[in-house]
């Protein structure tokens, strides 16, 4: 059929994407916490410079899945991972992987805001300093730009050297997003980035996320299905550790293939 | 593709809203069905009183359309329906438009009767009544398919519209014959042709509603494609 209008981007078939368009290639990934199987045989190709959201009921494994992409779960005692996760053609679970370097390329923002107990400014430049950047000008500019990106600059420009813990919950959440962006990672993992924010700040962050995709591959976990529908290009639905459905967001929210997805997104009993 | 159950949402109020919305379309459909039945009776019995009632009742049909539209808008704004819920609201929104138009076609037939003194033969009149009964049956089946969300039924009703088209063509040929003999009454004949056309249009509108039912149940748009392509598409979806 002819396209007369430029209304919505055509649906993309994930299986049809070329390897070079894939940022994270998850191959048969399973994860156990002790005896609990938290992720089951996940197979998922996450496209580069696109926004992919992960939805699903509480406890289904969303945060755990994100934690696999920067090997955060390694820190949990009793955690056992099977399968492979390829980022830039390297299996990050290879025993020779440099995990510190990985984490600087894969930034993460957590479900609960966790500013470091230091000044707002120090929070923003902390990572850059660790990377060896000392030039005052560079650090100042990076801090200001990151704060502007998350629409926090106006609120905190006069108190940059106050403790970050004096910020409100919503401000703290924007600060930790700014902290992740300041490092300019390749991949940004956002776990419920707006759950503590008011609706207007939420829209600001969503707008920011949409802009981020020009430079970064973004993964966002959200309980807010409208948010997933609004911001993401692709959506994955997890249920009890299994990937039930993963497709173009336009498709998943209008014509899901699986009954379980349908029930979840339309607010029915599962 | 899954079966559609309206009343299984966690929110009881949302269940109720969707149920009420669907029932209101069926009620509206029922009113229009009665209108069509009355118009055909009025034509058969030359009953001006009944024709008048049909014309008056059309206002009710119009108001019903507006109310259903408003409710669809409210639900979209407040509930953000997704997937089959979204398709249901959209399908209802569109079906309502077509059902209202069916009402308008019926009104046109009633107005013809009010004009009186139709220069037609018994044959033409009986042909119109037969076509009328045929489209009435089609409308009834369409509303049933909607109530049951039965895409298979919608499909066969859709195909059945061919017969109405055929009947309409025959009626037209016959009318042209009679008009030739009766050129003085051409203005009246034009009205009659319009009314015949209206009957045939009811069938087309039912066909539209059937397409929405298929969209609702199967999630596929089957408009504007050949009957063969449509059957192919549905086979894929089974
Ligand atoms: N450190 C841990 N030790 C043991 N079990 C864990 C651990 N972390 C998570 N789990 C379990 O793994 C499962 C997945 O947890 P996860 O935090 O990934 O869920 P989630 O989808 O992010 O949920 P929510 O939406 O509530 O944040 C849960 O059953 C959880 O109890
Ligand atoms: Mg979580």
């Amino acid at each position: 059929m002819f396209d007369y209008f430029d209304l919505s981007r055509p649906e993309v078939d994930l299986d049809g994407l070329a390897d070079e368009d894939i940022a994270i290639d998850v191959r048969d990934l399973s994860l156990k916490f002790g005896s609990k199987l938290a992720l089951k045989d996940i197979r998922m190709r996450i496209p580069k410079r696109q926004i992919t959201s992960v939805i699903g009921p509480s406890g289904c494994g969303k945060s755990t899945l994100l934690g696999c992409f920067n090997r955060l779960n390694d820190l949990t005692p009793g955690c056992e991972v099977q399968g492979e996760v390829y980022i830039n053609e390297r299996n990050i679970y290879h025993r020779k992987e440099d995990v510190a370097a990985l984490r600087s390329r894969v930034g993460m923002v957590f479900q609960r805001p966790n500013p470091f107990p230091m000044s707002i400014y120090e929070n923003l430049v902390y990572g850059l300093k660790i990377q060896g950047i000392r030039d005052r000008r560079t650090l100042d500019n990076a801090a200001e730009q990151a704060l502007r990106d998350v629409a926090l600059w106006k609120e905190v420009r006069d108190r940059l050297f106050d403790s970050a813990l004096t910020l409100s919950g919503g401000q703290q959440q924007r600060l930790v997003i700014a902290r992740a962006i300041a490092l300019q990672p390749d991949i940004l993992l956002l776990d419920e980035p707006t759950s503590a924010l008011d609706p207007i700040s939420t829209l600001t962050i969503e707008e920011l996320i949409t802009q981020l995709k020009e430079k970064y591959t973004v993964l966002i976990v959200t309980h807010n299905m409208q948010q997933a529908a609004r911001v993401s290009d692709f959506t994955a639905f997890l249920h009890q550790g299994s990937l039930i459905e993963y497709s173009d967001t336009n498709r998943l929210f209008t014509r899901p293939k699986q009954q379980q997805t349908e029930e979840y997104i339309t607010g029915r009993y599962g | 593709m899954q079966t559609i159950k309206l009343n299984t949402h966690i929110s009881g109020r949302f269940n109720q809203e969707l149920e009420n919305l669907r029932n209101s379309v069926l009620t509206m459909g029922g009113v229009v069905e009665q209108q069509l039945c009355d118009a055909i009776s009025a034509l058969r019995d030359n009953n001006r009183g009944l024709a008048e009632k049909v014309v008056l009742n059309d206002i009710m049909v119009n108001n019903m359309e507006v109310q259903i539209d408003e409710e669809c808008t409210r639900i979209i704004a407040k509930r953000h329906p997704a997937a089959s819920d979204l398709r249901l609201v959209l399908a209802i929104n569109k079906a309502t438009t077509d059902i209202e138009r069916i009402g308008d076609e019926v009104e046109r037939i009633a107005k013809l009767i009010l004009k009186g003194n139709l220069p037609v033969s018994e044959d033409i009149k009986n042909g119109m009544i037969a076509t009328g009964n045929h489209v009435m049956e089609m409308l009834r089946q369409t509303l049933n398919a909607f109530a049951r969300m039965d895409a298979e039924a919608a499909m066969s009703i859709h195909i059945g519209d061919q017969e109405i088209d055929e009947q309409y063509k025959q009626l037209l040929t016959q009318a042209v014959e009679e008009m030739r003999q009766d050129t003085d009454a051409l203005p009246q004949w034009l009205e009659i042709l319009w009314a015949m056309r209206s009957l045939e249009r009811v069938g087309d509108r039912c066909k539209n509603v059937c397409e929405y039912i298929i969209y609702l149940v199967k999630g596929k748009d089957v408009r504007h494609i050949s009957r063969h392509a449509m059957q192919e598409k549905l086979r894929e979806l089974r």
Side-chain angles (χ1 to χ4, degrees):
Chain A
M1 213 198 289
F2 282 120
D3 278 331
Y4 294 99
F5 308 111
D6 191 12
L7 293 176
S8 177
R9 113 184 130 63
E11 282 175 20
V12 173
D13 178 11
L14 280 160
D15 295 331
L17 289 180
D19 285 346
E20 65 256 32
D21 295 327
I22 302 299
I24 309 177
D25 188 354
V26 185
R27 301 188 191 165
D28 304 313
L29 180 75
S30 294
L31 183 145
K32 276 188 196 162
F33 288 118
S35 62
K36 171 157 177 77
L37 194 53
L39 294 174
K40 300 172 197 166
D41 262 328
I42 307 282
R43 222 168 301 165
M44 190 177 174
R45 295 188 340 138
I46 298 164
K48 234 176 228 171
R49 295 207 189 88
Q50 300 282 325
I51 302 167
T52 301
S53 60
V54 182
I55 60 172
S58 187
C60 70
K62 304 181 294 296
S63 300
T64 307
L65 181 65
L66 284 204
C68 289
F69 301 149
N70 61 358
R71 291 191 47 179
L72 194 76
N73 296 320
D74 292 16
L75 305 173
T76 307
C79 166
E80 196 187 310
V81 178
Q82 259 178 31
E84 297 159 344
V85 176
Y86 278 81
I87 295 180
N88 287 333
E89 288 158 25
R90 289 220 319 267
N91 177 13
I92 62 167
Y93 279 95
H94 191 275
R95 60 192 163 76
K96 284 188 184 154
E97 178 71 17
D98 176 350
V99 178
L102 171 72
R103 291 196 185 131
S104 75
R105 278 182 287 113
V106 184
M108 185 155 191
V109 170
F110 295 89
Q111 206 158 359
R112 265 169 254 128
N114 60 337
F116 303 141
M118 46 178 82
S119 74
I120 295 171
Y121 179 82
E122 281 303 323
N123 261 278
L124 292 165
V125 300
Y126 182 81
L128 293 171
K129 280 185 171 171
I130 286 182
Q131 289 184 0
I133 298 168
R134 295 283 154 201
D135 178 51
R136 187 79 202 182
R137 262 289 234 328
T138 310
L139 294 176
D140 287 359
N141 286 342
E144 177 174 341
Q145 191 52 50
L147 287 174
R148 284 189 188 279
D149 280 348
V150 299
L152 196 57
W153 174 247
K154 282 198 193 123
E155 284 160 70
V156 304
R157 63 201 291 183
D158 300 324
R159 47 189 286 209
L160 286 176
F161 299 99
D162 289 1
S163 164
L165 301 177
T166 63
L167 295 171
S168 76
Q171 290 171 328
Q172 289 185 11
Q173 189 62 301
R174 278 177 284 162
L175 178 67
V176 295
I177 296 176
R179 188 176 66 195
I181 292 172
L183 284 172
Q184 308 206 330
D186 296 334
I187 297 172
L188 200 55
L189 310 173
L190 307 171
D191 196 346
E192 290 270 359
T194 63
S195 54
L197 300 190
D198 68 273
I200 297 298
S201 312
T202 298
L203 288 178
T204 315
I205 297 292
E206 287 180 7
E207 186 56 26
L208 164 70
I209 294 170
T210 317
Q211 288 163 10
L212 289 177
K213 100 174 188 191
E214 285 181 12
K215 290 193 236 160
Y216 314 112
T217 298
V218 182
L219 265 116
I220 174 172
V221 164
T222 173
H223 278 143
N224 179 335
M225 279 179 285
Q226 261 70 50
Q227 179 167 69
R230 282 193 299 264
V231 303
S232 68
D233 303 294
F234 301 94
T235 301
F237 171 55
L238 275 184
H239 186 69
Q240 294 179 355
S242 297
L243 182 64
I244 305 296
E245 187 159 355
Y246 172 43
S247 68
D248 194 301
T249 298
N250 286 345
R251 161 148 205 143
L252 192 124
F253 282 94
T254 53
R255 289 170 283 122
K257 277 210 178 88
Q258 304 300 326
Q259 181 89 35
Q260 271 173 304
T261 316
E262 172 92 21
E263 283 167 358
Y264 186 70
I265 64 170
T266 56
R268 290 169 153 89
Y269 304 102
Chain B
M1 199 47 73
Q2 43 290 131
T3 50
I4 293 173
K5 296 188 218 93
L6 289 185
N7 57 350
T8 53
H9 297 87
I10 293 164
S11 163
R13 258 178 76 177
F14 189 28
N15 287 338
Q16 198 58 55
E17 284 168 11
L18 289 181
E19 191 67 41
N20 291 349
L21 184 65
R22 190 189 62 143
N23 289 343
S24 60
V25 181
L26 295 175
T27 304
M28 179 181 176
V31 170
V32 172
E33 198 184 326
Q34 185 61 47
Q35 288 276 88
L36 181 55
C37 178
D38 287 348
I40 296 163
S41 302
L43 179 65
R44 187 186 52 225
D45 308 336
N46 205 11
N47 182 340
R48 294 174 59 91
L50 196 55
E52 216 152 321
K53 185 184 130 199
V54 169
V55 174
L56 284 176
N57 273 349
D58 190 56
I59 296 168
M60 176 165 79
V61 175
N62 294 345
N63 289 339
M64 286 174 147
E65 184 200 14
V66 173
Q67 276 179 28
I68 293 173
D69 270 3
E70 282 173 358
E71 180 61 7
C72 290
T73 309
R74 254 196 309 272
I75 289 179
I76 289 172
K78 288 169 63 176
R79 298 283 182 188
H80 305 281
S84 62
D85 293 339
L86 178 62
R87 298 200 303 272
L88 176 74
V89 175
L90 292 178
I92 285 180
N93 198 222
K94 301 184 90 169
T96 308
T97 307
D98 277 284
I99 294 171
E100 190 274 335
R101 294 289 168 78
I102 293 177
D104 290 345
E105 307 291 1
V106 173
E107 188 193 13
R108 193 196 291 274
I109 298 163
K111 280 186 169 159
L112 177 75
I113 299 160
L114 288 178
K115 292 215 166 86
N117 283 337
L118 300 181
V120 296
S121 67
E122 277 304 299
D123 271 359
I124 291 271
K125 198 166 145 181
N126 289 337
M128 284 178 77
I129 291 164
T131 312
N133 283 329
H134 200 155
V135 292
M136 198 162 74
E137 177 59 17
M138 185 175 179
L139 176 59
R140 198 183 58 79
Q141 287 180 5
T142 303
L143 294 172
N144 278 344
F146 202 107
R148 293 197 309 268
M149 297 189 191
D150 184 343
E152 306 289 327
M155 179 76 199
S156 53
I157 299 165
H158 195 282
I159 294 170
D161 183 54
Q162 284 172 94
E163 292 167 30
I164 288 171
D165 289 350
E166 215 33 65
Q167 223 170 348
Y168 170 65
K169 260 184 222 146
Q170 281 174 18
L171 203 54
L172 214 54
T173 316
Q174 203 176 341
V176 170
E177 267 321 298
E178 289 192 23
M179 282 163 73
R180 284 218 176 90
Q181 321 293 321
D182 188 17
T183 45
D184 288 351
L186 271 185
Q188 285 105 303
W189 271 108
L190 280 181
E191 301 278 349
I192 292 161
L193 292 185
W194 277 119
M196 290 176 177
R197 173 89 180 137
S198 280
L199 284 173
E200 187 263 344
R201 292 291 293 159
V202 174
D204 291 344
R205 299 279 177 193
C206 288
K207 229 166 92 175
N208 291 348
V209 175
C210 288
E211 286 166 0
Y212 310 146
I213 298 170
I214 294 168
Y215 166 72
L216 163 61
V217 180
K218 304 282 186 182
K220 276 277 176 205
D221 200 327
V222 292
R223 290 175 301 174
H224 316 302
I225 56 179
S226 73
R227 197 162 278 132
H228 179 72
M230 180 168 158
Q231 271 163 322
E232 278 298 301
K233 224 169 181 175
L234 282 181
R235 229 191 311 278
E236 283 167 28
L237 294 169
R238 226 160 252 166

